[in-house]
Amino acid sequence: MADTITAQSAASPALALRHGRNYARRYWVFIVPAALVVLTVIVFPWLFTLYMSVHEWHIGGTRSFAGLANYARLFTDDRFHWAVLHTLYFTVLAVVAPLVLGVAAAECFHRNFRFRAVARTIFILPMMATPVAIALVWTMMFHPQLGVLNYLLTSVGLPPSTWVYDSTTVIPTLVLVETWQWTPLVMLIVLGGLASLPTDPYEAARIDGAGPWTMFRLITLPLVWPFIVVALVIRTIDALKAFDTIFVISQGGPGTSSETINIFLYLQAFAFYDIGYASAVVAVFFVLIVAISLVLLGVRQRARWQ
Amino acid sequence: MRSYRLRRIAGRFGLYLSVLALISPALLVFLWMISLSLKTEIDNMDYPPVFIPHPPTLDNFAQVFARNDFLTYTKNSVIVSFSATALALLVGVPAGYGIAKARATRAAMLILIARMTPGLSYLIPLFLLFQWLSLTGTLVPIVITHLVITVPIVVWVMIGFFEGLPAELEEAALTDGATIWQAFRHVALPLARPGVTVALILSFIFSWNNFIFAVVLAGRETRTLPVAVYNVLTFEQISWGPLAAAALCVTAPVLLLTLVMQKEIVAGLTAGGVKGG
């Protein structure tokens, strides 16, 4: 599920215009093999999920048509409601923190300084590292008695934290890991935006005696806004779908205090084998993600027209 | 004049300080991982923590590799990531070309929606499908599910690259009587080679890092490395040294690739915010 959201550049309009629509249509041949793969591994699961979601279906058990019973069950399942709230709480924090830090980081890496290439490489390593491996290291660092993080906190005079071992601190702690991992992606997207900015407004502003903060607020921010919105959309989708680090570090616990929709879904499907109900969760989850994305893409459209 | 110079120096100092603050969390985690993997169990359980291993020991790595199933899992990971990437390039590069040329924005939208869907939601139907086909217990299901990640990466990166190519060369080839396949094979593809490299690296890395598909689909013999390392955590007496050593072994290939191919990776990621998972 990889991919991207960027403005697509126009594809050689001259060529297509000269040869008309029929000409463009011939290129469908190139798409057929990939289309077959996409049909099998992406579209078939979507449709089959809808089919399963209207059935009472347990792996290794019976199955029968259930109408919308699975969906109705979602409305009365408190555990699911909490999972939705946990997901939204996690998402808001895991979007805002990387965005703020990422923009600040891009502003730093946009300047010229010695060792910039080295520093930037180190900075993007968290994003490329294997999430499970990283999650294991964080788990060891969060250890309440022997963990290095509590040692560092107490050595600068701060109280130790309970990290993932308390229901009030677990989600902010998971957000910390997510922020550590994905701030670099925001930085790269915004850095790409900064690189494309014209230099004239800055020179004019400098002559007028504007300070760095004023220039950032009145020139940089409005100009890179479309890039920030792209980063916002990508971060939101990824935070809603976050799984690996939560699954490895807290397994949704303590209790169910960090159980997000994705973890809830995993348990329903592969711990309780209740795949009819799990499919209904998938459908609702998917609608939620698409709805939020569309709202944010609406913001993006507006950003582009301004 | 002097105050201007002072302010410049202060600004420089502030910049270096901010950069240090930005990279120190990454440094902390990676250096701590290395430190844990090189220390004895006694040092790892010491408090206050021992930061520099004295003397460093490779025992933890020896312990990881002494278990021969770790080599099996490495082999599994290599097979899965290479096959999923190769298959994705095979179908994805022409598709990227076709979509760019036909300006099939609807096909591109499909890829976008696929990106929004959580990986788990593909897993339930595919899990059943593989059971019916009795493919469970082989690496085939894992390779196939990894296509969910690698194909969209390759297609998306290639759309961007093919759209960026000048159309004149292909037009000249077509005017000279080349078929569209020849124009693709001999004109567009050689020009887009840097794009293929970017697509290859990104799809390999995100397939290598993937956890969610294999954790559900893999049996004892077919685990990939991330799943194997996760199982070390859950099912065994936790000893930090070997765990950190195993984690380091799993992520080291990807980190080295990032160091070597930094430019290509940055280019690919900024082009669109590609991400796996």
Side-chain angles (χ1 to χ4, degrees):
Chain A
M1 290 126 297
D3 79 296
T4 92
I5 310 186
T6 22
Q8 286 188 46
S9 55
S12 62
L15 187 72
L17 276 182
R18 208 170 305 155
H19 299 276
R21 278 200 65 80
N22 282 331
Y23 185 79
R25 206 165 284 162
R26 285 163 54 195
Y27 283 98
W28 278 101
V29 182
F30 287 93
I31 310 176
V32 169
L36 288 177
V37 171
V38 167
L39 274 179
T40 339
V41 299
I42 295 178
V43 177
F44 156 74
W46 282 341
L47 299 177
F48 198 66
T49 297
L50 283 181
Y51 174 78
M52 287 187 296
S53 75
V54 293
H55 285 79
E56 177 74 38
W57 192 328
H58 289 260
I59 292 181
T62 52
R63 60 171 185 263
S64 57
F65 184 73
L68 295 176
N70 285 323
Y71 293 94
R73 197 174 140 197
L74 280 177
F75 280 97
T76 54
D77 189 343
D78 270 347
R79 190 166 172 182
F80 176 70
H81 300 161
W82 278 109
V84 173
L85 286 178
H86 292 147
T87 307
L88 295 178
Y89 177 37
F90 175 85
T91 301
V92 169
L93 292 180
V95 168
V96 172
L99 271 182
V100 172
L101 285 170
V103 171
E107 182 67 18
C108 283
F109 283 108
H110 184 54
R111 291 160 199 224
N112 256 317
F113 56 90
R114 275 179 68 178
F115 309 117
R116 179 171 70 165
V118 181
R120 196 184 61 178
T121 309
I122 295 172
F123 189 73
I124 65 169
L125 280 183
M127 161 173 88
M128 308 311 291
T130 311
V132 174
I134 292 310
L136 290 178
V137 179
W138 281 103
T139 308
M140 295 187 262
M141 294 181 22
F142 289 142
H143 194 283
Q145 281 88 43
L146 303 172
V148 70
L149 287 181
N150 272 349
Y151 171 77
L152 292 176
L153 280 185
T154 47
S155 65
V156 294
L158 292 168
S161 171
T162 45
W163 304 114
V164 291
Y165 299 96
D166 187 274
S167 56
T168 54
T169 50
V170 60
I171 289 183
T173 304
L174 292 170
V175 168
L176 172 76
V177 178
E178 183 86 356
T179 304
W180 178 85
Q181 205 182 354
W182 292 114
T183 298
L185 185 65
V186 177
M187 187 280 280
L188 285 180
I189 294 169
V190 177
L191 192 63
L194 287 173
S196 67
L197 294 190
T199 52
D200 322 7
Y202 292 94
E203 275 154 30
R206 198 166 294 132
I207 291 166
D208 289 346
W213 173 245
T214 319
M215 285 202 272
F216 174 76
R217 206 165 45 87
L218 296 178
I219 306 173
T220 313
L221 213 50
L223 286 175
V224 294
W225 189 247
F227 292 85
I228 296 177
V229 176
V230 168
L232 168 79
V233 175
I234 292 175
R235 265 314 307 148
T236 307
I237 295 173
D238 290 343
L240 286 168
K241 304 194 316 181
F243 180 80
D244 293 10
T245 43
I246 303 178
F247 185 77
V248 173
I249 295 176
S250 79
Q251 288 99 36
T256 56
S257 55
S258 63
E259 191 171 281
T260 58
I261 303 177
N262 233 349
I263 302 285
F264 177 81
L265 172 59
Y266 176 86
L267 293 175
Q268 292 300 333
F270 299 108
F272 311 146
Y273 293 120
D274 191 349
I275 54 173
Y277 189 45
S279 298
V281 176
V282 169
V284 171
F285 192 17
F286 180 70
V287 169
L288 184 76
I289 295 179
V290 171
I292 293 177
S293 308
L294 285 179
V295 169
L296 294 175
L297 285 170
V299 176
R300 184 184 170 200
Q301 279 300 334
R302 225 171 314 139
R304 198 188 285 157
W305 294 123
Q306 270 168 5
Chain B
M1 230 37 234
R2 190 197 227 159
S3 84
Y4 173 74
R5 194 135 120 233
L6 259 177
R7 209 191 308 156
R8 224 181 103 87
I9 292 171
R12 246 16 229 173
F13 185 70
L15 180 63
Y16 278 106
L17 215 61
S18 332
V19 171
L20 192 68
L22 284 170
I23 62 169
S24 52
L27 281 177
L28 172 74
V29 173
F30 289 116
L31 291 180
W32 188 240
M33 173 153 81
I34 294 171
S35 165
L36 284 171
S37 71
L38 292 177
K39 284 183 299 196
T40 60
E41 211 45 37
I42 298 162
D43 278 353
N44 275 336
M45 288 293 140
D46 207 7
Y47 194 87
V50 179
F51 285 91
I52 315 274
H54 62 99
T57 164
L58 289 176
D59 284 358
N60 296 320
F61 291 93
Q63 215 173 313
V64 168
F65 281 101
R67 308 175 24 179
N68 47 10
D69 50 356
F70 199 79
L71 290 175
T72 313
Y73 302 144
T74 310
K75 201 182 74 194
N76 289 345
S77 260
V78 169
I79 293 174
V80 167
S81 301
F82 273 100
S83 323
T85 303
L87 286 172
L89 287 177
L90 201 65
V91 301
V93 174
Y97 182 70
I99 292 175
K101 285 292 153 194
R103 289 188 293 151
T105 39
R106 243 172 301 168
M109 273 310 286
L110 183 72
I111 303 272
L112 255 182
I113 298 172
R115 141 78 149 155
M116 291 178 187
T117 318
L120 263 178
S121 50
Y122 299 108
L123 214 42
I124 306 168
L126 290 175
F127 180 79
L128 290 179
L129 181 72
F130 296 133
Q131 272 197 332
W132 287 331
L133 299 174
S134 21
L135 283 170
T136 41
T138 67
L139 286 175
V140 177
I142 304 177
V143 172
I144 292 177
T145 45
H146 276 226
L147 292 178
V148 172
I149 309 159
T150 55
V151 169
I153 294 182
V154 172
V155 172
W156 202 273
V157 169
M158 292 321 295
I159 293 176
F161 264 86
F162 283 122
E163 281 180 347
L165 292 182
E168 286 80 8
L169 285 169
E170 284 161 75
E171 283 183 64
L174 291 173
T175 319
D176 288 348
T179 63
I180 50 173
W181 171 254
Q182 287 167 327
F184 165 69
R185 175 71 191 78
H186 299 289
V187 182
L189 193 56
L191 288 172
R193 195 167 295 157
V196 177
T197 313
V198 169
L200 187 149
I201 297 168
L202 289 178
S203 114
F204 180 83
I205 289 179
F206 287 115
S207 167
W208 181 272
N209 284 349
N210 184 273
F211 170 66
I212 200 168
F213 293 127
V215 79
V216 171
L217 294 170
R220 221 188 132 55
E221 297 296 309
T222 53
R223 280 175 199 150
T224 57
L225 279 177
V227 181
V229 175
Y230 171 71
N231 282 341
V232 174
L233 174 76
T234 39
F235 297 121
E236 282 167 38
Q237 196 71 354
I238 294 186
S239 44
W240 286 7
L243 190 54
L248 191 59
C249 290
V250 171
T251 196
V254 169
L255 295 184
L256 289 177
L257 201 61
T258 308
L259 293 178
V260 178
M261 308 298 269
Q262 205 231 122
K263 227 176 73 190
E264 284 78 5
I265 290 173
V266 170
L269 290 170
T270 36
V274 181
K275 177 197 174 275

